[in-house]
Amino acid sequence: MNPADDLDRNTIFDGFGRRIDYLRVSLTDRCNLRCRYCMPTHGLTFAPDDALLTAAEIESVVRAAAGLGFRKVRLTGGEPMLRHDIVDIVGRIAAVPGIADVSMTTNGTRLPQLAPALKAAGLRRVNLHVDSLDKANVEHLMRWSHAESLWAAADAAEAAGLVPLKLNTVVARGYNDGDAVDLARLTLAHAWAVRFIELMPFGTSAEAQFSVDHYVPNSEVRARIEAALGALEAVPNADPADEARNYRLADAPGTVGFISPVSEPYCDTCNRMRLTADGKFHLCLLHDDEIDVRAVLRAGGDAEAVRDVLRRAVAAKPTGHSLRQGVHTEDRRMHAIGG
Ligand code: SAM
Ligand code: SF4
């Protein structure tokens, strides 16, 4: 029998009947930017290097996941391209039988240097973080970023064939809520998916308050775009687990998407498991529950032992987030989970 056929028969479901087949792997909690809703500029502590999973350990977890029916892997962080072994990691994951799609969420600052090597190693596409087209707004909201580097990243991704390109925009009132129209207008000229993400609270209550205070519902973002650019026509989701609701402006080659975890939670179609850079399965983005896999790896656990931890993690996934009950992730900020 072809081993790929055998892999195709494997599937894993959580306690609520959701098929879990998508692993988001955070490679580091460090970042070269300090987006206001994600990382403070002071008082941060980072996982020490020896706490981070090595490339070989990440490969072991991905092999275990593929054995249980996971098919997609997304690399994230912090900024995943800060890992000096990023090309090796991509190559190892892309070579795992059963893994059909390897992608990355990135701020793009290192893409001009790395895009061709990442593509050659097996990376298929990138989601690029772009909060504004306005130079001053980029520097205000994403702090150490520059508008020029975002465009250099988009060019590099397209030149290397890391497509279709998705642009992720987190909307924060008073910072970039006025920029949504210009971002959506990009889809009239480019075959890009421009996606607007609602702010979510993380970290201490003082930090989480930023997201509460600056939250903009996507219904408002959509209304602004339609008032300026015309009606958005719904585009059927090719992937039922796509967290974005997608639309198209008339005759646009690209699409406009809305990711609305706060106003329209999509927990009932959740298909994902998260692995933190320090080797914990983080069971739901917006809860603190975790199960340690690094300890099993470093105690010499074999493939079955790693699969067993992952089975337990999938079985323990909560039904969904509890933001309306005032519960959010307090132990980790977004940069230490990966989004
Ligand atoms: N550094 C990479 C980047 O910015 O794309 C990858 C990691 S970042 C944590 C992943 C995604 O999380 C980004 O699209 C970012 O905009 C989003 N994000 C960060 N903090 C957020 C928050 N408080 N609410 C909603 N999305 C957030
Ligand atoms: Fe860094 Fe991404 Fe967080 Fe911005 S959102 S600080 S780029 S990890």
Side-chain angles (χ1 to χ4, degrees):
M1 184 195 302
N2 179 342
D5 294 341
D6 196 29
L7 279 168
D8 274 346
R9 269 198 272 279
N10 297 336
T11 47
I12 188 163
F13 293 88
D14 73 359
F16 303 94
R18 296 172 296 196
R19 181 175 175 188
I20 310 300
D21 62 1
Y22 177 21
L23 186 66
R24 295 180 66 104
V25 179
S26 175
L27 299 181
T28 175
D29 55 355
R30 291 170 195 257
C31 189
N32 52 345
L33 304 185
R34 289 290 182 276
C35 303
R36 283 178 192 272
Y37 44 74
C38 182
M39 291 177 88
T41 48
H42 298 288
L44 286 163
T45 50
F46 298 103
D49 284 351
D50 63 2
L52 301 186
L53 295 188
T54 64
E57 289 170 336
I58 292 166
E59 181 186 339
S60 297
V61 177
V62 172
R63 281 187 186 279
L68 293 177
F70 282 68
R71 294 290 168 264
K72 291 196 333 184
V73 174
R74 173 171 294 279
L75 302 175
T76 179
E79 176 43 45
M81 284 191 230
L82 294 189
R83 281 280 293 240
H84 64 85
D85 52 356
I86 183 67
V87 175
D88 180 36
I89 292 171
V90 168
R92 285 170 180 263
I93 294 173
V96 171
I99 297 300
D101 187 27
V102 187
S103 59
M104 187 184 294
T105 298
T106 174
N107 65 34
T109 43
R110 298 204 67 216
L111 257 182
Q113 295 83 55
L114 289 170
L118 290 170
K119 177 71 182 177
L123 189 70
R124 290 181 69 165
R125 57 210 163 79
V126 290
N127 287 9
L128 197 57
H129 178 181
V130 179
D131 282 346
S132 174
L133 303 183
D134 180 88
K135 191 172 158 43
N137 286 357
V138 168
E139 288 167 23
H140 196 203
L141 185 56
M142 299 176 78
R143 288 197 281 223
W144 305 344
S145 183
H146 302 286
E148 302 77 20
S149 69
L150 301 175
W151 300 120
D155 287 348
E158 289 209 305
L162 294 168
V163 290
L165 188 59
K166 294 184 182 174
L167 268 48
N168 286 342
T169 299
V170 175
V171 183
R173 193 176 302 287
Y175 287 90
N176 65 339
D177 47 328
D179 299 340
V181 170
D182 285 343
L183 285 157
R185 192 180 282 115
L186 290 173
T187 66
L188 294 169
H190 303 272
W192 296 346
V194 174
R195 297 142 25 112
F196 297 96
I197 304 174
E198 288 182 344
L199 264 180
M200 291 174 271
F202 292 91
T204 64
S205 39
E207 288 165 355
Q209 196 60 38
F210 178 93
S211 297
V212 174
D213 292 344
H214 297 274
Y215 170 75
V216 181
N218 263 336
S219 55
E220 183 180 323
V221 178
R222 179 176 173 177
R224 277 180 184 244
I225 293 169
E226 292 199 299
L229 301 176
L232 285 163
E233 292 288 326
V235 177
N237 272 4
D239 174 0
D242 185 354
E243 71 272 51
R245 293 195 169 84
N246 297 304
Y247 299 84
R248 197 183 290 281
L249 291 164
D251 300 325
T255 58
V256 176
F258 298 99
I259 300 178
S260 314
V262 180
S263 65
E264 291 184 71
Y266 38 82
C267 305
D268 54 346
T269 56
C270 182
N271 64 340
R272 54 198 66 184
M273 177 57 65
R274 293 178 167 80
L275 177 67
T276 65
D278 57 351
K280 314 283 188 274
F281 288 119
H282 187 92
L283 309 187
C284 165
L285 179 59
L286 289 155
H287 284 278
D288 280 320
D289 316 278
E290 298 190 337
I291 295 184
D292 189 359
V293 66
R294 188 186 68 194
V296 171
L297 288 162
R298 294 195 180 170
D302 62 7
E304 179 52 23
V306 178
R307 281 195 295 271
D308 192 49
V309 182
L310 182 49
R311 279 191 202 98
R312 283 194 285 122
V314 169
K317 262 179 76 67
T319 174
H321 72 64
S322 313
L323 285 179
R324 288 194 182 132
Q325 289 76 43
V327 176
H328 69 267
T329 309
E330 293 178 42
D331 294 349
R332 291 181 188 267
R333 303 184 187 93
M334 190 63 136
H335 70 98
I337 307 173

